[in-house]
């Protein structure tokens, strides 16, 4: 036997582990990139909304979407809202209720209606350009 100290992790980790500071820095940069992307997305949404309002197309597109969704979708959303209210024993504000059902309600919008809405937004923005 040799008198050299053995490294029990030598076989598991043949390369040195990253320095904690380096790992923390790259996590910070990833978070900063994500925040920056979220800010850009929010700015783009605000810009698009402003242009749609200015052109009067926003109300047109909303009405078109309402007519496409129909009574079946509205009934389904009412059922989602009722279930959430029952689960919370009626102790929800309107904002809390919307927050809880918004994602599921949007998932129930038919893909065709989403595609037509997107096309309408793109057309309205191109007309203003």
């Amino acid at each position: 036997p040799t008198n050299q100290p053995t490294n029990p992790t030598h076989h598991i980790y043949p390369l040195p582990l990253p320095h904690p500071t380096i790992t923390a820095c790259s996590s910070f940069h990833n978070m900063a990139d994500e925040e920056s992307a979220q800010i850009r997305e929010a700015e783009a949404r605000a810009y698009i909304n402003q242009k749609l309002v200015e052109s009067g197309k926003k109300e047109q597109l909303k009405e078109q979407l309402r007519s496409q969704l129909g009574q079946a979708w509205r009934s389904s959303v009412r059922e989602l809202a009722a279930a959430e209210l029952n689960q919370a024993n009626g102790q929800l504000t309107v904002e809390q209720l919307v927050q809880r059902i918004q994602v599921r309600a949007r998932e129930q919008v038919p893909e065709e209606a989403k595609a037509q809405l997107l096309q309408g937004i793109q057309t309205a923005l191109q007309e203003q350009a």
Side-chain angles (χ1 to χ4, degrees):
T2 64
N3 290 337
Q4 294 179 353
T6 59
N7 181 352
T9 61
H10 175 73
H11 298 289
I12 300 171
Y13 299 105
L15 299 175
L17 295 174
H19 191 278
T21 305
I22 294 171
T23 305
C25 286
S26 34
S27 294
F28 175 76
H29 287 297
N30 288 340
M31 287 176 15
D33 291 345
E34 187 176 316
E35 282 182 22
S36 179
Q38 289 174 347
I39 290 169
R40 284 192 308 272
E41 182 178 336
E43 289 171 347
R45 287 179 183 270
Y47 174 80
I48 291 168
N49 187 55
Q50 177 186 355
K51 292 298 181 185
L52 291 174
V53 169
E54 288 173 0
S55 69
K57 294 286 186 180
K58 183 174 181 175
E59 287 304 316
Q60 275 183 303
L61 291 169
K62 283 171 60 174
E63 189 55 42
Q64 180 184 355
L65 182 61
R66 279 188 200 108
S67 68
Q68 284 179 317
L69 292 177
Q71 189 60 35
W73 181 81
R74 286 189 282 280
S75 294
S76 148
V77 171
R78 275 191 217 102
E79 289 174 14
L80 287 173
E84 284 296 327
L85 282 170
N86 286 337
Q87 186 176 8
N89 295 320
Q91 302 298 312
L92 290 175
T93 65
V94 172
E95 291 81 15
Q96 290 169 328
L97 180 60
V98 169
Q99 185 179 14
R100 289 185 178 195
I101 69 170
Q102 189 173 38
V103 171
R104 289 178 286 164
R106 286 183 176 171
E107 288 172 351
Q108 293 180 7
V109 173
E111 290 301 316
E112 182 180 328
K114 291 177 188 179
Q116 287 179 358
L117 179 61
L118 182 59
Q119 181 61 45
I121 292 169
Q122 289 171 338
T123 301
L125 293 174
Q126 287 171 351
E127 289 172 356
Q128 285 191 333

